[in-house]
């Protein structure tokens, strides 16, 4: 049986094939494709099969639509002024140096992301972004697409 290039799990009888490589699901294949398109393949050189497989494939759809509501989004932000915002997100899936590397290189995935920094011990990523180029919902959906699901909570 083939082993998934992204997460290392068994691909079963019908692996998803992309770039002549086996993947256990479309989600893992999609993450690989995103990293390949952005020329971030060195992610896979840092540690064999560094990714995490989700039990459900990515189908965010309207899952994060509530983040479009200003009263909710503003409570999540650490800072917002002059078109620059910063948010700190708890991401339980941060588990290795590959995770840190990918999350600290988010600026290469979207031009609206200025900077990101991971606190590995707290499993948090702090992201500074241009809110005229990427909105909070898009940021969260992008993280979801690369398999970093956030545990979102805000201060009341």
């Amino acid at each position: 049986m083939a082993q998934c290039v992204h997460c290392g799990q068994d691909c079963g009888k019908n692996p998803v094939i992309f770039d002549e490589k086996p993947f256990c699901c479309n989600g893992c294949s999609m993450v690989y494709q995103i990293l390949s398109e952005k020329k971030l393949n060195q992610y896979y050189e840092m540690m064999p099969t560094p990714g995490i497989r989700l039990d459900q494939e990515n189908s965010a759809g309207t899952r994060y639509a509530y983040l479009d509501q200003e009263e909710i989004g503003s409570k999540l932000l650490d800072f917002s002024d002059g078109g620059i915002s910063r948010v700190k997100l708890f991401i339980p899936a941060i588990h290795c140096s590959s995770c840190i590397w990918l999350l600290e290189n988010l600026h290469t995935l979207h031009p609206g992301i200025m900077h990101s920094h991971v606190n590995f011990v707290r499993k948090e990523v702090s992201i500074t972004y241009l809110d005229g180029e990427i909105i909070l919902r898009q940021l969260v959906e992008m993280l979801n697409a690369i398999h970093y699901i956030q545990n979102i909570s805000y201060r009341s």
Side-chain angles (χ1 to χ4, degrees), residues 66-67 72-81 84-91 103 106 112-119 123-131 134-143 150-155:
Y66 67 93
L67 294 175
I72 292 176
S74 65
K75 290 181 180 181
L76 291 171
L77 298 176
D78 290 340
F79 171 86
S80 186
D81 188 38
I84 297 174
S85 295
R86 184 175 54 233
V87 64
K88 190 180 302 171
L89 298 168
F90 175 65
I91 302 179
L103 290 168
L106 292 174
I113 298 173
M114 299 172 65
H115 176 76
S116 53
H117 177 74
V118 172
N119 181 325
K123 299 200 180 289
E124 292 177 338
V125 62
S126 178
I127 304 168
T128 304
Y129 62 97
L130 300 169
D131 49 35
I134 186 170
I135 60 172
L136 182 58
R137 177 181 177 179
Q138 291 171 319
L139 178 63
V140 168
E141 288 174 344
M142 183 186 78
L143 289 167
Q150 312 81 47
N151 183 348
I152 298 176
S153 62
Y154 60 89
R155 299 169 287 287

